[in-house]
Amino acid sequence: MFHHPDWVANRMGNVFGIELDEEFNMYVTASSQIWQRAVNAGGTMLTQSQILDVWRYGSIGGGENDLAAAGTIYKIDAFTGEASVFAVLPQQNTTLQYFGDAGLWSRTAGPGLGNISYDYKNQTFM
């Protein structure tokens, strides 16, 4: 199994949508999703810094509090696995909040993106 150094939360943040093009490059979209309850595999409540590490936008796209990072679509090269910014869609400024057993945390950025789809016939994204 291969894991490129870019494939971590502080570089790419949370991602949601995944798609391949005809050359097997992968495209992933920045997401603002967070777990329903912020607990680790052992059932222990995560700390604020652990939650914010998971609930973030990546530094490649501009950083965790960057509005533009919320609209980032990353391209992962089919041969090298390196991630780069493919496109940045405009986003509305919003405050994302998480309320858990340990309190309320928030981050100001955009709402993030969902799925992405590639039309192979027309070689374009939809």
Side-chain angles (χ1 to χ4, degrees):
M1 185 179 299
F2 174 76
H3 293 275
H4 191 278
D6 284 345
W7 302 354
V8 293
N10 66 350
R11 296 284 293 149
M12 289 177 48
N14 279 338
V15 294
F16 182 79
I18 301 173
E19 183 62 289
L20 296 173
D21 66 14
E22 69 278 352
E23 296 175 353
F24 300 104
N25 295 302
M26 185 183 305
Y27 298 85
V28 295
T29 60
S31 173
S32 59
Q33 300 300 314
I34 188 168
W35 305 326
Q36 190 70 12
R37 283 185 51 83
V39 295
N40 66 19
T44 305
M45 191 72 180
L46 298 178
T47 66
Q48 179 180 2
S49 65
Q50 289 171 320
I51 289 170
L52 295 179
D53 279 346
V54 172
W55 182 34
R56 65 173 296 155
Y57 297 116
S59 61
I60 297 172
E64 60 190 36
N65 291 308
D66 187 336
L67 180 61
T72 302
I73 300 171
Y74 297 103
K75 177 181 179 180
I76 300 174
D77 186 89
F79 296 103
T80 67
E82 185 176 351
S84 61
V85 173
F86 173 72
V88 178
L89 303 179
Q91 294 291 298
Q92 290 181 315
N93 195 33
T94 188
T95 299
L96 310 169
Q97 294 184 330
Y98 170 78
F99 185 78
D101 297 340
L104 174 70
W105 298 293
S106 64
R107 169 167 287 139
T108 300
L113 302 173
N115 277 327
I116 186 170
S117 181
Y118 186 74
D119 178 350
Y120 292 92
K121 181 178 178 184
N122 296 304
Q123 297 180 332
T124 189
F125 287 93
M126 301 185 289

